[in-house]
Amino acid sequence: LYELIQYTRRNLYREGVLKSRHAGVPTVCVGNITLGGTGKTPCVETVCRLLLSLGKKPVIIARGYGGSMEGDVVVVSDGREIKRSAAEVGDEPLLLSERLLEAGVPVVIGAKRYDAARLAVDELGAEAIVMDDGFQHLAIKRDLNIVVIDASRPFGNLFCLPRGSLREPLSALRDAQLFLLTRAEGVGAISLNALKESLAAHNPQAPIITAAHTPDCFREAHTNERLPLAWVEGRKILAFAGIGNPGAFFLDLEELGARLLDSTPFPDHHEYTSAELGQLAKWARLSSASALVTTEKDLVRIEGLIKPEIMVTALLIKMSFSEQGGDILKASLEGIIQP
């Protein structure tokens, strides 16, 4: 039933029965077709930095999942100052605000993406819109649809919600203009080629590029100091994460040489409590761990709750493209901003 509803809805937009509106500036959508983390956040950041290099001022619009202001149209950052907390607007908008503050990229949340886009254009001077997690939000027209797929677990069991992890049937992939396969570095050549063939069968026109999520450094929560990756080698730590794929994060830590005493997964976008963090800190002390380690996305949710009784760090991740993949992405953006 859910699959039928989503299939019908998308086709009504394709046929023009349901109407989409354009924001008036080049609009890029970065989305996916499954639940859970696929790596959209670093892709959004990369797209924004490429647009800046092409002479356009981007503004990010997002839903603001999990915040108390979810549903409202709210300026998270105006590009000069961060105005809201993770509790108000959700972790991903705040993380993007922090990572792109030095570049002057504003972030706006709103369940009605068109209203958020109009505010971005009219009040923040947006010359391009970047929609974070907007593939299913069809009420706003986009000039470039980037669908991000985790190559290590692309479509789950091939069923839509609630039986599987697909947000829509795979026929929705026809509307992509570019496929970005993330975490491709951990997938064998046979599986990766099979995935590419499957995508080409659904949409032969869309280019397929790959990217790797690679650890960059650690950020210490209390001092904001950046620590090299070698900091964790041989160190006894407790790890926790409330993201779509916590197992990949724990594996990254082990591959960096951490002595992982325990790993605690929480639900995606989990709202941590002081009691939970107190329990984690207590367990770290009892097990003689030297630090608690989490993800950057989790860190923005707990910064007001952590106490200096134990070291807390976050692993920062960067996205790296093959030279050809980066060129294809840049050319796709150039194609939508030319007058």
Side-chain angles (χ1 to χ4, degrees):
L1 179 61
Y2 178 89
E3 180 177 352
L4 178 62
I5 291 170
Q6 294 304 317
Y7 176 83
T8 302
R9 174 177 172 271
R10 185 169 283 272
N11 277 311
L12 289 173
Y13 273 104
R14 284 173 176 161
E15 298 298 326
V17 177
L18 296 177
K19 303 297 183 183
S20 300
R21 292 180 290 176
H22 198 274
V25 297
T27 301
V28 182
C29 172
V30 178
N32 62 9
I33 198 169
T34 57
L35 295 175
T38 56
K40 296 185 303 296
T41 301
C43 181
V44 169
E45 179 184 357
T46 300
V47 167
C48 287
R49 293 191 185 279
L50 284 172
L51 286 168
L52 287 168
S53 74
L54 295 171
K56 293 292 183 181
K57 176 186 177 180
V59 174
I60 297 167
I61 61 172
R63 175 186 166 189
Y65 180 83
S68 63
M69 305 186 80
E70 182 179 351
D72 299 330
V73 177
V74 178
V75 176
V76 183
S77 166
D78 60 6
R80 299 181 299 273
E81 177 188 3
I82 296 175
K83 299 177 176 293
R84 301 292 180 179
S85 67
E88 293 174 310
V89 300
D91 51 9
E92 291 174 358
L94 188 65
L95 176 57
L96 285 165
S97 296
E98 290 183 349
R99 297 194 74 153
L100 289 163
L101 187 63
E102 41 78 26
V105 177
V107 178
V108 180
I109 66 164
K112 295 183 178 179
R113 304 292 177 94
Y114 182 78
D115 292 345
R118 290 312 315 165
L119 183 150
V121 173
D122 296 339
E123 299 184 21
L124 298 173
E127 298 172 325
I129 296 294
V130 181
M131 296 174 62
D132 177 28
D133 196 14
F135 188 57
Q136 286 73 39
H137 195 97
L138 305 176
I140 183 169
K141 288 184 179 179
R142 64 290 310 273
D143 302 289
L144 178 62
N145 246 337
I146 302 173
V147 175
V148 184
I149 297 170
D150 182 341
S152 66
R153 48 173 199 170
F155 308 124
N157 60 6
L158 298 179
F159 287 104
C160 283
L161 291 165
R163 187 176 179 185
S165 60
L166 287 175
R167 297 180 178 189
E168 296 183 86
L170 293 180
S171 58
L173 296 174
R174 286 166 39 201
D175 291 336
Q177 277 94 40
L178 180 68
F179 291 116
L180 170 59
L181 306 185
T182 59
R183 302 189 178 94
E185 70 279 7
V187 178
I190 294 175
S191 296
L192 192 61
N193 288 333
L195 175 56
K196 290 179 178 179
E197 289 175 4
S198 175
L199 293 173
H202 287 285
N203 186 338
Q205 285 79 37
I208 303 172
I209 63 175
T210 59
H213 284 70
T214 55
D216 186 15
C217 64
F218 290 91
R219 173 187 163 199
E220 207 282 323
H222 303 294
T223 65
N224 213 29
E225 179 186 359
R226 285 344 191 230
L227 303 170
L229 295 176
W231 166 84
V232 82
E233 190 172 350
R235 189 179 293 269
K236 293 193 292 185
I237 63 167
L238 259 62
F240 67 97
I243 56 175
N245 185 9
F249 166 66
F250 301 143
L251 182 60
D252 281 343
L253 293 175
E254 289 183 327
E255 290 179 345
L256 289 170
R259 295 175 61 188
L260 204 57
L261 301 180
D262 198 5
S263 55
T264 304
F266 288 91
D268 196 12
H269 303 286
H270 182 64
E271 292 185 26
Y272 294 93
T273 65
S274 297
E276 287 171 334
L277 292 171
Q279 284 292 102
L280 287 168
K282 181 179 179 180
W283 179 231
R285 291 194 303 274
L286 291 173
S287 58
S288 300
S290 61
L292 289 168
V293 182
T294 189
T295 71
E296 189 178 15
K297 194 178 292 186
D298 286 290
L299 187 59
V300 302
R301 275 180 268 149
I302 67 172
E303 284 182 303
L305 300 174
I306 53 178
K307 294 180 171 53
E309 58 194 33
I310 189 166
M311 186 178 192
V312 179
T313 68
L315 177 63
L316 310 193
I317 299 293
K318 61 183 178 181
M319 177 175 278
S320 55
F321 296 87
S322 65
E323 183 176 347
Q324 184 181 22
D327 290 343
I328 290 172
L329 177 56
K330 187 173 182 179
S332 298
L333 295 171
E334 287 175 329
I336 68 170
I337 65 174
Q338 297 299 330

